[in-house]
Amino acid sequence: AALNEAVNITVTNNVTFAQAKIIDDATNSGSNTYNISDTAANIAAGIVTSVTAVNGAGTVTSTTATAAQGATLASISQAIVYSISDTAANIVANVGGLNESVDIESTDSCTFAQGKVIEDATNSGSITYNISDSAANIAVGIGSDNAVISSAGTIAANTYATKAELEIIGGDTKAIVFSVKDTAVNLAAATAARILKAVNVIATTDATVAQATSIDTNTNAGAGGYNTYNITDSAAAIAAKTNAFLTKAQTVTVDGTADVTQATTISGLTKAVIYSISDVAANALGAAATTYNEAVNITISGNLTVAKADVIKEASNSGTKTYIIEDNAAAITAAVTATTGATPDVQTLNSGTTVTVSGTATFAQAATIAGIAKAIVYNISDVKANIPGSTTAALNEAVNITVTNNVTFA
């Protein structure tokens, strides 16, 4: 009754919406003077239940609102002071209150598109948002509306950038967190100052030594990131590099084959290198070494002695062994029964592509040679007394037979 019978009602401090409604509902004959200060939730609900109580206030100040509440606060004629703090998704879903708010804050990361909605708002205060989006979207955004990029707090690409995208992202003055993945050719061609801004660099194809050098030099692996690439190049290019350099690669593979000299250099590296050997007999090793053991395939063209062929046969390489033997009859005969390494030397003979006796064999040597599975090319030269009177395998498998003294008709 006191309110209803009054002329004017003046409240000297701020009131809540509930209190304002009581004043507004009074039937006094004069004016009502009050200012509202309440939560965004209470004021937004009050607009629905009694908008006249809100519009009748002198000033209305709200606590920080959600985007949905902000849209409600902005929907009436009364100017309400409020700021918005909400998720990026909620902010773009309720844009009606953005322009009339004071400050706008996104509580989680925005895409570039969501950040643009916030940056485009004409609110009177500050905007606060961070961007996390694909490298493609960020790169496009830099070109289409750089203000969205420059106004963001932090920006991070959540996908790998291509070389083309890194040129745009790395070329912007804004600090943007990104990693790059592209072909070795493209990465090696990237602008050094821009790819240096990348965190991690991944080559999707094998790099040559030159490309790997460029990738390794022009990235910030030393500043907490990493470079991931494989090297495939000629034996000459790989043999010319240091172990420290090659160790930075995931895998190192010789494209084609290495000669024995190159293979010796490569096998001396701590870094495991995949290579095969192809060389001529004159360069074949005379003793066991890691040169052969670490190879995949070993191919020696030209004629090897039994001793050099045995070095290849004894090698622990992972692939094939291809060689040709040509040696004197004594050496080949001895190999039939000898074991100079871990395996019998006869296996060295049996594994040869061809085995040829240089010069001639005696009948006794021919008899030994003819007794193994491997077909060996040989000629016999001996005296009549050493050659049997009947046909034998040793005689049948010979190419030429020469008796060095006179024989009878029989």
Side-chain angles (χ1 to χ4, degrees):
L3 295 177
N4 292 338
E5 295 177 8
V7 178
N8 301 318
I9 303 172
T10 300
V11 181
T12 58
N13 59 355
N14 293 330
V15 298
T16 64
F17 168 78
Q19 294 167 335
K21 185 176 185 321
I22 292 172
I23 297 168
D24 183 68
D25 286 345
T27 58
N28 57 306
S29 59
S31 63
N32 298 328
T33 303
Y34 57 89
N35 298 318
I36 295 175
S37 179
D38 205 343
T39 65
N42 288 343
I43 296 173
I47 289 172
V48 175
T49 58
S50 182
V51 69
T52 57
V54 179
N55 284 333
T59 63
V60 181
T61 304
S62 168
T63 58
T64 300
T66 65
Q69 292 167 343
T72 301
L73 299 182
S75 66
I76 63 174
S77 58
Q78 175 68 263
I80 301 175
V81 179
Y82 62 91
S83 292
I84 292 174
S85 179
D86 208 337
T87 65
N90 288 343
I91 289 173
V92 280
N94 298 276
V95 297
L98 299 184
N99 292 341
E100 296 182 10
S101 67
V102 179
D103 301 326
I104 303 172
E105 176 191 31
S106 174
T107 57
D108 61 356
S109 293
C110 303
T111 63
F112 173 83
Q114 292 168 334
K116 178 170 171 53
V117 171
I118 295 172
E119 201 280 327
D120 284 347
T122 57
N123 58 302
S124 59
S126 64
I127 52 176
T128 303
Y129 60 91
N130 300 317
I131 292 176
S132 177
D133 205 343
S134 68
N137 287 345
I138 292 172
V140 170
I142 289 172
S144 64
D145 193 345
N146 193 258
V148 179
I149 300 295
S150 61
S151 297
T154 62
I155 303 177
N158 55 27
T159 62
Y160 288 105
T162 63
K163 186 264 185 182
E165 291 162 353
L166 88 81
E167 293 288 1
I168 297 171
I169 295 171
D172 196 77
T173 56
K174 181 74 176 181
I176 301 173
V177 179
F178 69 98
S179 293
V180 60
K181 180 189 289 187
D182 209 329
T183 65
V185 171
N186 287 344
L187 295 179
T191 303
R194 295 176 182 180
I195 197 171
L196 273 168
K197 296 180 181 180
V199 178
N200 303 320
V201 177
I202 300 174
T204 57
T205 59
D206 289 353
T208 63
V209 165
Q211 291 164 349
T213 300
S214 179
I215 293 169
D216 182 64
T217 302
N218 294 332
T219 58
N220 69 344
Y226 60 80
N227 302 326
T228 301
Y229 55 86
N230 301 318
I231 293 175
T232 297
D233 208 337
S234 68
I238 292 173
K241 300 304 290 185
T242 64
N243 186 73
F245 172 80
L246 295 174
T247 299
K248 296 176 183 180
Q250 300 294 298
T251 63
V252 181
T253 304
V254 170
D255 185 18
T257 57
D259 62 30
V260 170
T261 299
Q262 292 165 337
T264 300
T265 300
I266 291 169
S267 66
L269 299 166
T270 303
K271 178 66 178 179
V273 179
I274 301 168
Y275 65 92
S276 291
I277 296 172
S278 179
D279 209 336
V280 296
N283 295 331
L285 296 176
T290 55
T291 302
Y292 283 171
N293 293 338
E294 294 185 5
V296 178
N297 302 320
I298 303 171
T299 302
I300 301 296
S301 59
N303 298 326
L304 293 176
T305 63
V306 170
K308 286 191 173 182
D310 194 58
V311 173
I312 297 174
K313 177 60 180 175
E314 294 289 337
S316 57
N317 62 302
S318 60
T320 61
K321 303 172 174 73
T322 304
Y323 55 87
I324 296 169
I325 296 174
E326 182 173 332
D327 208 340
N328 60 53
I332 293 175
T333 302
V336 173
T337 57
T339 300
T340 56
T343 58
D345 292 356
V346 69
Q347 292 186 21
T348 301
L349 298 177
N350 287 333
S351 298
T353 303
T354 63
V355 181
T356 303
V357 173
S358 60
T360 59
T362 64
F363 176 79
Q365 292 169 333
T368 301
I369 293 169
I372 67 171
K374 183 69 179 180
I376 299 176
V377 180
Y378 61 91
N379 298 301
I380 296 174
S381 179
D382 210 339
V383 298
K384 162 63 178 68
N386 293 336
I387 298 176
S390 59
T391 302
T392 65
L395 297 176
N396 290 338
E397 295 179 13
V399 179
N400 300 312
I401 303 171
T402 301
V403 180
T404 59
N405 59 355
N406 292 331
V407 298
T408 65
F409 170 76

